[in-house]
mmCIF file of all heavy atoms in Angstrom:
data_model
loop_
_atom_site.group_PDB
_atom_site.id
_atom_site.type_symbol
_atom_site.label_atom_id
_atom_site.label_comp_id
_atom_site.label_asym_id
_atom_site.label_seq_id
_atom_site.Cartn_x
_atom_site.Cartn_y
_atom_site.Cartn_z
ATOM 1 N N MET A 1 0.841 -1.194 0.000
ATOM 2 C CA MET A 1 0.000 0.000 0.000
ATOM 3 C C MET A 1 0.881 1.251 0.000
ATOM 4 O O MET A 1 1.673 1.457 0.901
ATOM 5 C CB MET A 1 -0.798 -0.073 1.289
ATOM 6 C CG MET A 1 -2.108 0.614 1.398
ATOM 7 S SD MET A 1 -3.470 0.484 0.408
ATOM 8 C CE MET A 1 -4.274 1.941 1.019
ATOM 9 N N ALA A 2 0.751 2.075 -1.040
ATOM 10 C CA ALA A 2 1.558 3.294 -1.127
ATOM 11 C C ALA A 2 0.855 4.450 -0.434
ATOM 12 O O ALA A 2 -0.371 4.479 -0.356
ATOM 13 C CB ALA A 2 1.798 3.644 -2.590
ATOM 14 N N VAL A 3 1.644 5.371 0.068
ATOM 15 C CA VAL A 3 1.102 6.597 0.656
ATOM 16 C C VAL A 3 1.793 7.791 0.014
ATOM 17 O O VAL A 3 2.950 7.714 -0.376
ATOM 18 C CB VAL A 3 1.296 6.638 2.196
ATOM 19 C CG1 VAL A 3 0.501 5.539 2.866
ATOM 20 C CG2 VAL A 3 2.758 6.561 2.566
ATOM 21 N N PRO A 4 1.057 8.912 -0.090
ATOM 22 C CA PRO A 4 1.645 10.106 -0.695
ATOM 23 C C PRO A 4 2.612 10.791 0.254
ATOM 24 O O PRO A 4 2.400 10.812 1.464
ATOM 25 C CB PRO A 4 0.420 10.997 -0.960
ATOM 26 C CG PRO A 4 -0.588 10.563 0.046
ATOM 27 C CD PRO A 4 -0.351 9.097 0.292
ATOM 28 N N LYS A 5 3.681 11.348 -0.335
ATOM 29 C CA LYS A 5 4.621 12.165 0.440
ATOM 30 C C LYS A 5 4.827 13.465 -0.316
ATOM 31 O O LYS A 5 4.985 13.457 -1.541
ATOM 32 C CB LYS A 5 5.968 11.440 0.574
ATOM 33 C CG LYS A 5 5.921 10.259 1.534
ATOM 34 C CD LYS A 5 6.814 10.495 2.741
ATOM 35 C CE LYS A 5 6.487 9.551 3.869
ATOM 36 N NZ LYS A 5 7.296 8.346 3.898
ATOM 37 N N VAL A 6 4.861 14.574 0.402
ATOM 38 C CA VAL A 6 5.151 15.882 -0.190
ATOM 39 C C VAL A 6 6.544 16.307 0.258
ATOM 40 O O VAL A 6 6.846 16.310 1.452
ATOM 41 C CB VAL A 6 4.135 16.945 0.251
ATOM 42 C CG1 VAL A 6 4.533 18.319 -0.293
ATOM 43 C CG2 VAL A 6 2.727 16.579 -0.210
ATOM 44 N N GLU A 7 7.374 16.667 -0.718
ATOM 45 C CA GLU A 7 8.682 17.238 -0.392
ATOM 46 C C GLU A 7 8.482 18.741 -0.198
ATOM 47 O O GLU A 7 8.312 19.494 -1.168
ATOM 48 C CB GLU A 7 9.683 16.942 -1.516
ATOM 49 C CG GLU A 7 11.098 17.314 -1.128
ATOM 50 C CD GLU A 7 12.116 16.910 -2.192
ATOM 51 O OE1 GLU A 7 11.820 16.011 -3.016
ATOM 52 O OE2 GLU A 7 13.200 17.518 -2.204
ATOM 53 N N ALA A 8 8.459 19.157 1.054
ATOM 54 C CA ALA A 8 8.054 20.526 1.392
ATOM 55 C C ALA A 8 8.893 21.575 0.669
ATOM 56 O O ALA A 8 8.372 22.619 0.253
ATOM 57 C CB ALA A 8 8.129 20.726 2.901
ATOM 58 N N ALA A 9 10.152 21.313 0.486
ATOM 59 C CA ALA A 9 11.024 22.308 -0.153
ATOM 60 C C ALA A 9 10.621 22.569 -1.599
ATOM 61 O O ALA A 9 10.883 23.652 -2.130
ATOM 62 C CB ALA A 9 12.474 21.840 -0.089
ATOM 63 N N LYS A 10 9.973 21.603 -2.221
ATOM 64 C CA LYS A 10 9.555 21.766 -3.615
ATOM 65 C C LYS A 10 8.147 22.348 -3.742
ATOM 66 O O LYS A 10 7.781 22.821 -4.809
ATOM 67 C CB LYS A 10 9.582 20.414 -4.336
ATOM 68 C CG LYS A 10 10.975 19.901 -4.663
ATOM 69 C CD LYS A 10 10.832 18.663 -5.547
ATOM 70 C CE LYS A 10 12.161 18.044 -5.885
ATOM 71 N NZ LYS A 10 11.962 16.761 -6.619
ATOM 72 N N CYS A 11 7.332 22.281 -2.703
ATOM 73 C CA CYS A 11 5.933 22.713 -2.782
ATOM 74 C C CYS A 11 5.850 24.226 -2.836
ATOM 75 O O CYS A 11 6.411 24.913 -1.981
ATOM 76 C CB CYS A 11 5.168 22.184 -1.572
ATOM 77 S SG CYS A 11 3.461 22.783 -1.500
ATOM 78 N N ASP A 12 5.112 24.741 -3.841
ATOM 79 C CA ASP A 12 4.933 26.191 -3.944
ATOM 80 C C ASP A 12 3.544 26.636 -3.485
ATOM 81 O O ASP A 12 3.163 27.792 -3.670
ATOM 82 C CB ASP A 12 5.227 26.680 -5.359
ATOM 83 C CG ASP A 12 4.186 26.233 -6.379
ATOM 84 O OD1 ASP A 12 3.193 25.579 -5.992
ATOM 85 O OD2 ASP A 12 4.370 26.554 -7.570
ATOM 86 N N GLY A 13 2.778 25.700 -2.915
ATOM 87 C CA GLY A 13 1.489 26.074 -2.334
ATOM 88 C C GLY A 13 0.387 26.329 -3.334
ATOM 89 O O GLY A 13 -0.590 27.016 -3.019
ATOM 90 N N CYS A 14 0.476 25.764 -4.523
ATOM 91 C CA CYS A 14 -0.519 26.055 -5.568
ATOM 92 C C CYS A 14 -1.903 25.486 -5.241
ATOM 93 O O CYS A 14 -2.900 25.979 -5.740
ATOM 94 C CB CYS A 14 -0.043 25.518 -6.912
ATOM 95 S SG CYS A 14 -0.138 23.719 -7.062
ATOM 96 N N GLY A 15 -1.953 24.429 -4.446
ATOM 97 C CA GLY A 15 -3.228 23.855 -4.055
ATOM 98 C C GLY A 15 -3.792 22.814 -5.006
ATOM 99 O O GLY A 15 -4.867 22.260 -4.748
ATOM 100 N N ASN A 16 -3.116 22.534 -6.087
ATOM 101 C CA ASN A 16 -3.641 21.559 -7.056
ATOM 102 C C ASN A 16 -3.920 20.204 -6.415
ATOM 103 O O ASN A 16 -4.950 19.581 -6.679
ATOM 104 C CB ASN A 16 -2.641 21.339 -8.200
ATOM 105 C CG ASN A 16 -2.628 22.474 -9.201
ATOM 106 O OD1 ASN A 16 -3.326 23.473 -9.027
ATOM 107 N ND2 ASN A 16 -1.818 22.338 -10.233
ATOM 108 N N CYS A 17 -3.008 19.738 -5.601
ATOM 109 C CA CYS A 17 -3.170 18.402 -5.020
ATOM 110 C C CYS A 17 -4.419 18.352 -4.136
ATOM 111 O O CYS A 17 -5.149 17.355 -4.140
ATOM 112 C CB CYS A 17 -1.921 18.000 -4.249
ATOM 113 S SG CYS A 17 -1.412 19.185 -2.988
ATOM 114 N N ILE A 18 -4.664 19.429 -3.419
ATOM 115 C CA ILE A 18 -5.855 19.488 -2.568
ATOM 116 C C ILE A 18 -7.113 19.468 -3.430
ATOM 117 O O ILE A 18 -8.091 18.788 -3.110
ATOM 118 C CB ILE A 18 -5.793 20.742 -1.679
ATOM 119 C CG1 ILE A 18 -4.662 20.585 -0.667
ATOM 120 C CG2 ILE A 18 -7.130 20.992 -0.978
ATOM 121 C CD1 ILE A 18 -4.294 21.843 0.079
ATOM 122 N N ASP A 19 -7.077 20.188 -4.542
ATOM 123 C CA ASP A 19 -8.238 20.256 -5.437
ATOM 124 C C ASP A 19 -8.543 18.910 -6.091
ATOM 125 O O ASP A 19 -9.707 18.565 -6.279
ATOM 126 C CB ASP A 19 -8.003 21.297 -6.538
ATOM 127 C CG ASP A 19 -8.022 22.714 -5.990
ATOM 128 O OD1 ASP A 19 -8.526 22.913 -4.867
ATOM 129 O OD2 ASP A 19 -7.535 23.620 -6.687
ATOM 130 N N VAL A 20 -7.526 18.162 -6.472
ATOM 131 C CA VAL A 20 -7.766 16.954 -7.268
ATOM 132 C C VAL A 20 -7.873 15.674 -6.446
ATOM 133 O O VAL A 20 -8.383 14.670 -6.949
ATOM 134 C CB VAL A 20 -6.678 16.753 -8.357
ATOM 135 C CG1 VAL A 20 -6.640 17.954 -9.302
ATOM 136 C CG2 VAL A 20 -5.317 16.471 -7.762
ATOM 137 N N CYS A 21 -7.416 15.681 -5.220
ATOM 138 C CA CYS A 21 -7.415 14.427 -4.455
ATOM 139 C C CYS A 21 -8.842 14.017 -4.091
ATOM 140 O O CYS A 21 -9.531 14.741 -3.368
ATOM 141 C CB CYS A 21 -6.571 14.572 -3.198
ATOM 142 S SG CYS A 21 -6.583 13.054 -2.215
ATOM 143 N N PRO A 22 -9.288 12.850 -4.544
ATOM 144 C CA PRO A 22 -10.645 12.397 -4.238
ATOM 145 C C PRO A 22 -10.784 11.907 -2.799
ATOM 146 O O PRO A 22 -11.904 11.712 -2.320
ATOM 147 C CB PRO A 22 -10.855 11.240 -5.226
ATOM 148 C CG PRO A 22 -9.488 10.685 -5.443
ATOM 149 C CD PRO A 22 -8.554 11.877 -5.387
ATOM 150 N N ALA A 23 -9.669 11.710 -2.125
ATOM 151 C CA ALA A 23 -9.703 11.144 -0.777
ATOM 152 C C ALA A 23 -9.359 12.175 0.301
ATOM 153 O O ALA A 23 -9.254 11.826 1.475
ATOM 154 C CB ALA A 23 -8.738 9.966 -0.694
ATOM 155 N N ASP A 24 -9.164 13.436 -0.109
ATOM 156 C CA ASP A 24 -8.947 14.512 0.860
ATOM 157 C C ASP A 24 -7.716 14.241 1.727
ATOM 158 O O ASP A 24 -7.740 14.459 2.938
ATOM 159 C CB ASP A 24 -10.216 14.652 1.732
ATOM 160 C CG ASP A 24 -10.463 16.094 2.150
ATOM 161 O OD1 ASP A 24 -9.798 16.992 1.606
ATOM 162 O OD2 ASP A 24 -11.297 16.309 3.052
ATOM 163 N N CYS A 25 -6.663 13.788 1.104
ATOM 164 C CA CYS A 25 -5.459 13.406 1.856
ATOM 165 C C CYS A 25 -4.615 14.599 2.316
ATOM 166 O O CYS A 25 -3.817 14.458 3.246
ATOM 167 C CB CYS A 25 -4.580 12.499 0.996
ATOM 168 S SG CYS A 25 -5.287 10.872 0.705
ATOM 169 N N PHE A 26 -4.791 15.747 1.629
ATOM 170 C CA PHE A 26 -3.881 16.887 1.879
ATOM 171 C C PHE A 26 -4.595 18.030 2.589
ATOM 172 O O PHE A 26 -5.808 18.211 2.444
ATOM 173 C CB PHE A 26 -3.347 17.431 0.543
ATOM 174 C CG PHE A 26 -2.669 16.429 -0.312
ATOM 175 C CD1 PHE A 26 -3.379 15.790 -1.329
ATOM 176 C CD2 PHE A 26 -1.327 16.106 -0.129
ATOM 177 C CE1 PHE A 26 -2.756 14.859 -2.152
ATOM 178 C CE2 PHE A 26 -0.700 15.177 -0.945
ATOM 179 C CZ PHE A 26 -1.417 14.548 -1.957
ATOM 180 N N GLU A 27 -3.812 18.829 3.304
ATOM 181 C CA GLU A 27 -4.280 20.113 3.835
ATOM 182 C C GLU A 27 -3.175 21.139 3.645
ATOM 183 O O GLU A 27 -1.984 20.796 3.715
ATOM 184 C CB GLU A 27 -4.569 20.010 5.341
ATOM 185 C CG GLU A 27 -5.979 19.562 5.677
ATOM 186 C CD GLU A 27 -6.223 19.485 7.181
ATOM 187 O OE1 GLU A 27 -5.465 20.118 7.955
ATOM 188 O OE2 GLU A 27 -7.161 18.766 7.557
ATOM 189 N N MET A 28 -3.568 22.415 3.467
ATOM 190 C CA MET A 28 -2.581 23.484 3.377
ATOM 191 C C MET A 28 -2.225 23.966 4.769
ATOM 192 O O MET A 28 -3.103 24.269 5.574
ATOM 193 C CB MET A 28 -3.156 24.635 2.536
ATOM 194 C CG MET A 28 -2.109 25.569 1.985
ATOM 195 S SD MET A 28 -0.976 24.777 0.813
ATOM 196 C CE MET A 28 -2.019 24.661 -0.639
ATOM 197 N N GLN A 29 -0.954 23.966 5.046
ATOM 198 C CA GLN A 29 -0.462 24.489 6.331
ATOM 199 C C GLN A 29 0.734 25.377 6.053
ATOM 200 O O GLN A 29 1.734 24.930 5.481
ATOM 201 C CB GLN A 29 -0.051 23.326 7.258
ATOM 202 C CG GLN A 29 -1.233 22.435 7.664
ATOM 203 C CD GLN A 29 -0.816 21.273 8.548
ATOM 204 O OE1 GLN A 29 0.313 21.202 9.020
ATOM 205 N NE2 GLN A 29 -1.736 20.340 8.770
ATOM 206 N N ASP A 30 0.614 26.654 6.412
ATOM 207 C CA ASP A 30 1.692 27.624 6.160
ATOM 208 C C ASP A 30 2.120 27.615 4.694
ATOM 209 O O ASP A 30 3.312 27.625 4.380
ATOM 210 C CB ASP A 30 2.903 27.345 7.062
ATOM 211 C CG ASP A 30 2.583 27.564 8.535
ATOM 212 O OD1 ASP A 30 1.748 28.433 8.832
ATOM 213 O OD2 ASP A 30 3.157 26.850 9.369
ATOM 214 N N ASN A 31 1.118 27.593 3.808
ATOM 215 C CA ASN A 31 1.351 27.657 2.361
ATOM 216 C C ASN A 31 2.121 26.463 1.797
ATOM 217 O O ASN A 31 2.751 26.550 0.748
ATOM 218 C CB ASN A 31 2.057 28.960 1.973
ATOM 219 C CG ASN A 31 1.620 29.449 0.600
ATOM 220 O OD1 ASN A 31 0.459 29.301 0.224
ATOM 221 N ND2 ASN A 31 2.546 30.001 -0.168
ATOM 222 N N LYS A 32 2.072 25.344 2.519
ATOM 223 C CA LYS A 32 2.632 24.093 2.020
ATOM 224 C C LYS A 32 1.562 23.012 2.152
ATOM 225 O O LYS A 32 0.812 23.001 3.135
ATOM 226 C CB LYS A 32 3.847 23.647 2.852
ATOM 227 C CG LYS A 32 4.999 24.625 2.878
ATOM 228 C CD LYS A 32 5.843 24.528 1.641
ATOM 229 C CE LYS A 32 7.051 25.461 1.730
ATOM 230 N NZ LYS A 32 7.785 25.527 0.452
ATOM 231 N N SER A 33 1.525 22.130 1.181
ATOM 232 C CA SER A 33 0.604 21.013 1.267
ATOM 233 C C SER A 33 1.193 19.945 2.181
ATOM 234 O O SER A 33 2.354 19.543 2.024
ATOM 235 C CB SER A 33 0.370 20.420 -0.123
ATOM 236 O OG SER A 33 -0.451 19.281 -0.010
ATOM 237 N N VAL A 34 0.371 19.501 3.126
ATOM 238 C CA VAL A 34 0.798 18.488 4.097
ATOM 239 C C VAL A 34 -0.121 17.284 3.969
ATOM 240 O O VAL A 34 -1.333 17.422 3.828
ATOM 241 C CB VAL A 34 0.742 19.064 5.530
ATOM 242 C CG1 VAL A 34 1.085 17.997 6.556
ATOM 243 C CG2 VAL A 34 1.662 20.267 5.655
ATOM 244 N N VAL A 35 0.446 16.098 4.009
ATOM 245 C CA VAL A 35 -0.351 14.875 3.943
ATOM 246 C C VAL A 35 -0.899 14.600 5.335
ATOM 247 O O VAL A 35 -0.141 14.263 6.249
ATOM 248 C CB VAL A 35 0.499 13.687 3.454
ATOM 249 C CG1 VAL A 35 -0.353 12.424 3.389
ATOM 250 C CG2 VAL A 35 1.119 13.996 2.099
ATOM 251 N N VAL A 36 -2.209 14.757 5.487
ATOM 252 C CA VAL A 36 -2.818 14.586 6.807
ATOM 253 C C VAL A 36 -3.592 13.271 6.931
ATOM 254 O O VAL A 36 -3.875 12.832 8.045
ATOM 255 C CB VAL A 36 -3.734 15.778 7.158
ATOM 256 C CG1 VAL A 36 -2.895 17.028 7.421
ATOM 257 C CG2 VAL A 36 -4.754 16.041 6.082
ATOM 258 N N ARG A 37 -3.960 12.695 5.783
ATOM 259 C CA ARG A 37 -4.693 11.414 5.832
ATOM 260 C C ARG A 37 -4.068 10.435 4.826
ATOM 261 O O ARG A 37 -4.711 10.028 3.847
ATOM 262 C CB ARG A 37 -6.181 11.647 5.523
ATOM 263 C CG ARG A 37 -6.972 12.211 6.695
ATOM 264 C CD ARG A 37 -8.374 12.613 6.312
ATOM 265 N NE ARG A 37 -8.383 13.859 5.554
ATOM 266 C CZ ARG A 37 -8.397 15.076 6.107
ATOM 267 N NH1 ARG A 37 -8.428 15.216 7.400
ATOM 268 N NH2 ARG A 37 -8.378 16.135 5.335
ATOM 269 N N PRO A 38 -2.830 10.042 5.040
ATOM 270 C CA PRO A 38 -2.133 9.198 4.062
ATOM 271 C C PRO A 38 -2.825 7.861 3.817
ATOM 272 O O PRO A 38 -2.816 7.358 2.692
ATOM 273 C CB PRO A 38 -0.742 8.997 4.672
ATOM 274 C CG PRO A 38 -0.912 9.285 6.134
ATOM 275 C CD PRO A 38 -1.975 10.351 6.210
ATOM 276 N N ASP A 39 -3.427 7.321 4.877
ATOM 277 C CA ASP A 39 -4.024 5.987 4.747
ATOM 278 C C ASP A 39 -5.315 5.986 3.936
ATOM 279 O O ASP A 39 -5.813 4.919 3.557
ATOM 280 C CB ASP A 39 -4.286 5.387 6.129
ATOM 281 C CG ASP A 39 -2.984 5.109 6.873
ATOM 282 O OD1 ASP A 39 -1.935 5.015 6.215
ATOM 283 O OD2 ASP A 39 -3.023 5.000 8.107
ATOM 284 N N ASP A 40 -5.843 7.169 3.634
ATOM 285 C CA ASP A 40 -7.050 7.255 2.806
ATOM 286 C C ASP A 40 -6.726 7.250 1.309
ATOM 287 O O ASP A 40 -7.626 7.208 0.477
ATOM 288 C CB ASP A 40 -7.837 8.534 3.135
ATOM 289 C CG ASP A 40 -8.518 8.453 4.500
ATOM 290 O OD1 ASP A 40 -8.486 7.377 5.110
ATOM 291 O OD2 ASP A 40 -9.073 9.478 4.937
ATOM 292 N N CYS A 41 -5.450 7.301 0.961
ATOM 293 C CA CYS A 41 -5.047 7.379 -0.450
ATOM 294 C C CYS A 41 -5.520 6.156 -1.228
ATOM 295 O O CYS A 41 -5.370 5.024 -0.767
ATOM 296 C CB CYS A 41 -3.525 7.481 -0.531
ATOM 297 S SG CYS A 41 -2.890 7.483 -2.216
ATOM 298 N N VAL A 42 -6.111 6.420 -2.403
ATOM 299 C CA VAL A 42 -6.575 5.332 -3.261
ATOM 300 C C VAL A 42 -5.637 5.124 -4.459
ATOM 301 O O VAL A 42 -5.978 4.425 -5.416
ATOM 302 C CB VAL A 42 -8.023 5.569 -3.734
ATOM 303 C CG1 VAL A 42 -8.969 5.569 -2.539
ATOM 304 C CG2 VAL A 42 -8.167 6.873 -4.519
ATOM 305 N N GLU A 43 -4.470 5.768 -4.409
ATOM 306 C CA GLU A 43 -3.405 5.565 -5.402
ATOM 307 C C GLU A 43 -3.846 5.916 -6.826
ATOM 308 O O GLU A 43 -3.465 5.243 -7.786
ATOM 309 C CB GLU A 43 -2.856 4.137 -5.316
ATOM 310 C CG GLU A 43 -2.323 3.833 -3.915
ATOM 311 C CD GLU A 43 -1.712 2.444 -3.792
ATOM 312 O OE1 GLU A 43 -1.170 1.944 -4.784
ATOM 313 O OE2 GLU A 43 -1.783 1.864 -2.695
ATOM 314 N N CYS A 44 -4.640 6.967 -6.947
ATOM 315 C CA CYS A 44 -5.134 7.357 -8.277
ATOM 316 C C CYS A 44 -4.089 8.128 -9.082
ATOM 317 O O CYS A 44 -4.234 8.293 -10.293
ATOM 318 C CB CYS A 44 -6.389 8.204 -8.129
ATOM 319 S SG CYS A 44 -6.085 9.845 -7.420
ATOM 320 N N MET A 45 -3.074 8.666 -8.403
ATOM 321 C CA MET A 45 -1.964 9.407 -9.028
ATOM 322 C C MET A 45 -2.337 10.822 -9.485
ATOM 323 O O MET A 45 -1.524 11.507 -10.117
ATOM 324 C CB MET A 45 -1.360 8.635 -10.211
ATOM 325 C CG MET A 45 -0.746 7.299 -9.832
ATOM 326 S SD MET A 45 0.577 7.448 -8.602
ATOM 327 C CE MET A 45 1.917 8.034 -9.642
ATOM 328 N N ALA A 46 -3.547 11.278 -9.201
ATOM 329 C CA ALA A 46 -3.951 12.614 -9.649
ATOM 330 C C ALA A 46 -3.055 13.702 -9.057
ATOM 331 O O ALA A 46 -2.710 14.677 -9.727
ATOM 332 C CB ALA A 46 -5.410 12.868 -9.280
ATOM 333 N N CYS A 47 -2.676 13.546 -7.812
ATOM 334 C CA CYS A 47 -1.822 14.567 -7.179
ATOM 335 C C CYS A 47 -0.461 14.627 -7.854
ATOM 336 O O CYS A 47 0.046 15.716 -8.160
ATOM 337 C CB CYS A 47 -1.670 14.277 -5.690
ATOM 338 S SG CYS A 47 -1.028 12.632 -5.306
ATOM 339 N N VAL A 48 0.109 13.473 -8.090
ATOM 340 C CA VAL A 48 1.426 13.417 -8.732
ATOM 341 C C VAL A 48 1.369 14.056 -10.115
ATOM 342 O O VAL A 48 2.227 14.869 -10.490
ATOM 343 C CB VAL A 48 1.912 11.952 -8.835
ATOM 344 C CG1 VAL A 48 3.202 11.856 -9.634
ATOM 345 C CG2 VAL A 48 2.086 11.356 -7.452
ATOM 346 N N GLU A 49 0.306 13.727 -10.865
ATOM 347 C CA GLU A 49 0.185 14.217 -12.239
ATOM 348 C C GLU A 49 -0.115 15.707 -12.308
ATOM 349 O O GLU A 49 0.193 16.352 -13.312
ATOM 350 C CB GLU A 49 -0.906 13.424 -12.967
ATOM 351 C CG GLU A 49 -0.501 11.985 -13.231
ATOM 352 C CD GLU A 49 -1.673 11.085 -13.624
ATOM 353 O OE1 GLU A 49 -2.808 11.584 -13.730
ATOM 354 O OE2 GLU A 49 -1.423 9.883 -13.809
ATOM 355 N N ASN A 50 -0.705 16.265 -11.260
ATOM 356 C CA ASN A 50 -1.113 17.674 -11.289
ATOM 357 C C ASN A 50 -0.237 18.588 -10.445
ATOM 358 O O ASN A 50 -0.532 19.778 -10.330
ATOM 359 C CB ASN A 50 -2.567 17.792 -10.841
ATOM 360 C CG ASN A 50 -3.523 17.278 -11.903
ATOM 361 O OD1 ASN A 50 -3.797 17.956 -12.884
ATOM 362 N ND2 ASN A 50 -4.003 16.054 -11.740
ATOM 363 N N CYS A 51 0.839 18.069 -9.907
ATOM 364 C CA CYS A 51 1.761 18.921 -9.151
ATOM 365 C C CYS A 51 2.775 19.531 -10.111
ATOM 366 O O CYS A 51 3.560 18.810 -10.725
ATOM 367 C CB CYS A 51 2.487 18.128 -8.075
ATOM 368 S SG CYS A 51 3.681 19.150 -7.187
ATOM 369 N N PRO A 52 2.781 20.859 -10.230
ATOM 370 C CA PRO A 52 3.662 21.501 -11.215
ATOM 371 C C PRO A 52 5.136 21.434 -10.847
ATOM 372 O O PRO A 52 5.998 21.646 -11.705
ATOM 373 C CB PRO A 52 3.173 22.951 -11.248
ATOM 374 C CG PRO A 52 2.553 23.167 -9.913
ATOM 375 C CD PRO A 52 1.946 21.840 -9.515
ATOM 376 N N THR A 53 5.441 21.162 -9.594
ATOM 377 C CA THR A 53 6.844 21.174 -9.175
ATOM 378 C C THR A 53 7.377 19.771 -8.857
ATOM 379 O O THR A 53 8.476 19.638 -8.324
ATOM 380 C CB THR A 53 7.015 22.063 -7.923
ATOM 381 O OG1 THR A 53 6.270 21.491 -6.840
ATOM 382 C CG2 THR A 53 6.528 23.485 -8.177
ATOM 383 N N GLU A 54 6.576 18.757 -9.161
ATOM 384 C CA GLU A 54 6.978 17.372 -8.904
ATOM 385 C C GLU A 54 7.367 17.161 -7.439
ATOM 386 O O GLU A 54 8.357 16.496 -7.134
ATOM 387 C CB GLU A 54 8.106 16.949 -9.853
ATOM 388 C CG GLU A 54 7.686 17.050 -11.309
ATOM 389 C CD GLU A 54 8.733 16.534 -12.292
ATOM 390 O OE1 GLU A 54 9.883 16.283 -11.883
ATOM 391 O OE2 GLU A 54 8.383 16.402 -13.475
ATOM 392 N N ALA A 55 6.563 17.745 -6.557
ATOM 393 C CA ALA A 55 6.859 17.655 -5.121
ATOM 394 C C ALA A 55 6.271 16.408 -4.469
ATOM 395 O O ALA A 55 6.613 16.100 -3.328
ATOM 396 C CB ALA A 55 6.316 18.891 -4.406
ATOM 397 N N ILE A 56 5.375 15.701 -5.198
ATOM 398 C CA ILE A 56 4.661 14.584 -4.574
ATOM 399 C C ILE A 56 5.111 13.265 -5.187
ATOM 400 O O ILE A 56 5.285 13.155 -6.400
ATOM 401 C CB ILE A 56 3.142 14.721 -4.772
ATOM 402 C CG1 ILE A 56 2.661 16.088 -4.308
ATOM 403 C CG2 ILE A 56 2.394 13.609 -4.011
ATOM 404 C CD1 ILE A 56 1.205 16.362 -4.639
ATOM 405 N N GLU A 57 5.262 12.277 -4.338
ATOM 406 C CA GLU A 57 5.452 10.914 -4.824
ATOM 407 C C GLU A 57 4.671 9.966 -3.944
ATOM 408 O O GLU A 57 4.332 10.275 -2.807
ATOM 409 C CB GLU A 57 6.938 10.530 -4.883
ATOM 410 C CG GLU A 57 7.649 10.599 -3.551
ATOM 411 C CD GLU A 57 9.110 10.215 -3.661
ATOM 412 O OE1 GLU A 57 9.535 9.745 -4.722
ATOM 413 O OE2 GLU A 57 9.820 10.370 -2.654
ATOM 414 N N LEU A 58 4.368 8.818 -4.515
ATOM 415 C CA LEU A 58 3.753 7.738 -3.727
ATOM 416 C C LEU A 58 4.853 6.761 -3.364
ATOM 417 O O LEU A 58 5.589 6.312 -4.233
ATOM 418 C CB LEU A 58 2.655 7.035 -4.549
ATOM 419 C CG LEU A 58 1.213 7.477 -4.223
ATOM 420 C CD1 LEU A 58 1.056 8.969 -4.422
ATOM 421 C CD2 LEU A 58 0.214 6.725 -5.053
ATOM 422 N N VAL A 59 4.930 6.484 -2.067
ATOM 423 C CA VAL A 59 6.029 5.620 -1.610
ATOM 424 C C VAL A 59 5.495 4.475 -0.753
ATOM 425 O O VAL A 59 4.400 4.555 -0.206
ATOM 426 C CB VAL A 59 7.064 6.410 -0.810
ATOM 427 C CG1 VAL A 59 7.760 7.419 -1.688
ATOM 428 C CG2 VAL A 59 6.451 7.093 0.401
HETATM 429 S S1 SF4 B 1 -2.809 9.361 -5.347
HETATM 430 FE FE1 SF4 B 1 -4.923 10.113 -5.517
HETATM 431 S S2 SF4 B 1 -5.891 9.536 -3.582
HETATM 432 FE FE2 SF4 B 1 -3.682 9.380 -3.289
HETATM 433 S S3 SF4 B 1 -3.078 11.334 -2.409
HETATM 434 FE FE3 SF4 B 1 -2.814 11.467 -4.637
HETATM 435 S S4 SF4 B 1 -4.727 12.335 -5.416
HETATM 436 FE FE4 SF4 B 1 -5.100 11.614 -3.321
HETATM 437 S S1 SF4 B 2 0.329 20.377 -6.220
HETATM 438 FE FE1 SF4 B 2 2.487 20.289 -5.606
HETATM 439 S S2 SF4 B 2 3.148 22.421 -5.481
HETATM 440 FE FE2 SF4 B 2 0.918 22.423 -5.518
HETATM 441 S S3 SF4 B 2 0.313 22.452 -3.343
HETATM 442 FE FE3 SF4 B 2 0.381 20.312 -3.986
HETATM 443 S S4 SF4 B 2 2.464 19.607 -3.461
HETATM 444 FE FE4 SF4 B 2 2.470 21.836 -3.438
#
């Protein structure tokens, strides 16, 4: 079972991952996306595909 990880240094706070995640895994904290519900991930890859800075991976 993979879970999403955000590399904070790469995140520019665009919010795309929050908008596209069907499982509500992310929240914005201090203009960075934080994975708050990793175990809810359904591995759809939408966050990875829509992150402009390649800050997200499933691991
Ligand atoms: S892979 Fe899909 S379900 Fe998992 S965190 Fe990314 S957008 Fe959400
Ligand atoms: S899509 Fe990428 S850059 Fe945008 S908020 Fe999410 S992790 Fe940060």
Side-chain angles (χ1 to χ4, degrees):
M1 205 54 195
V3 295
K5 287 244 164 94
V6 175
E7 189 175 339
K10 286 188 182 174
C11 175
D12 69 3
C14 74
N16 284 3
C17 54
I18 292 168
D19 290 343
V20 301
C21 179
D24 213 11
C25 291
F26 304 96
E27 272 180 20
M28 199 64 76
Q29 295 179 10
D30 294 328
N31 213 36
K32 300 280 184 188
S33 176
V34 176
V35 180
V36 290
R37 282 172 285 274
D39 294 340
D40 288 353
C41 176
V42 296
E43 302 182 31
C44 69
M45 298 301 283
C47 56
V48 174
E49 290 165 2
N50 287 282
C51 177
T53 64
E54 300 185 349
I56 307 172
E57 60 180 351
L58 260 58
V59 294

